[in-house]
Amino acid sequence: MDTGKHQLEQLFAQLGLDNDVTAIKVFLARHWLEPGQALAEAAFWNPAQADFLRQALASDAEWAEAVDELAALLSQK
């Protein structure tokens, strides 16, 4: 069972972004992280999104796995 995509869709919804498969693919194609850049420090997040991402990782929240997955996907450029 692949739960990764489902978690990623939920994370996008939590961030207030379109969360269908096509929208996620478009987002990933248009955005990336610079080498060594923390996910929450990327310029494409608004302050609330960046804060959510920081908190999710800092508290090892239920979102941490999906946040890590997103960071990995955005680092593959």
Side-chain angles (χ1 to χ4, degrees):
M1 174 170 67
D2 180 16
T3 59
K5 289 181 183 174
H6 181 65
Q7 290 178 354
L8 202 55
E9 290 170 357
Q10 291 176 332
L11 176 60
F12 270 66
Q14 184 70 21
L15 291 168
L17 302 171
D18 290 335
N19 68 332
D20 61 79
V21 174
T22 301
I24 292 172
K25 286 180 181 180
V26 169
F27 183 91
L28 294 173
R30 292 183 179 170
H31 300 88
W32 59 88
L33 296 176
E34 297 298 326
Q37 183 180 34
L39 179 63
E41 301 307 317
F44 48 83
W45 302 121
N46 69 38
Q49 291 168 325
D51 188 50
F52 172 80
L53 293 167
R54 275 188 214 95
Q55 288 181 15
L57 291 173
S59 65
D60 198 25
E62 64 184 88
W63 293 107
E65 186 177 333
V67 171
D68 284 340
E69 179 183 1
L70 179 57
L73 290 168
L74 291 170
S75 297
Q76 293 179 359
K77 302 292 176 181

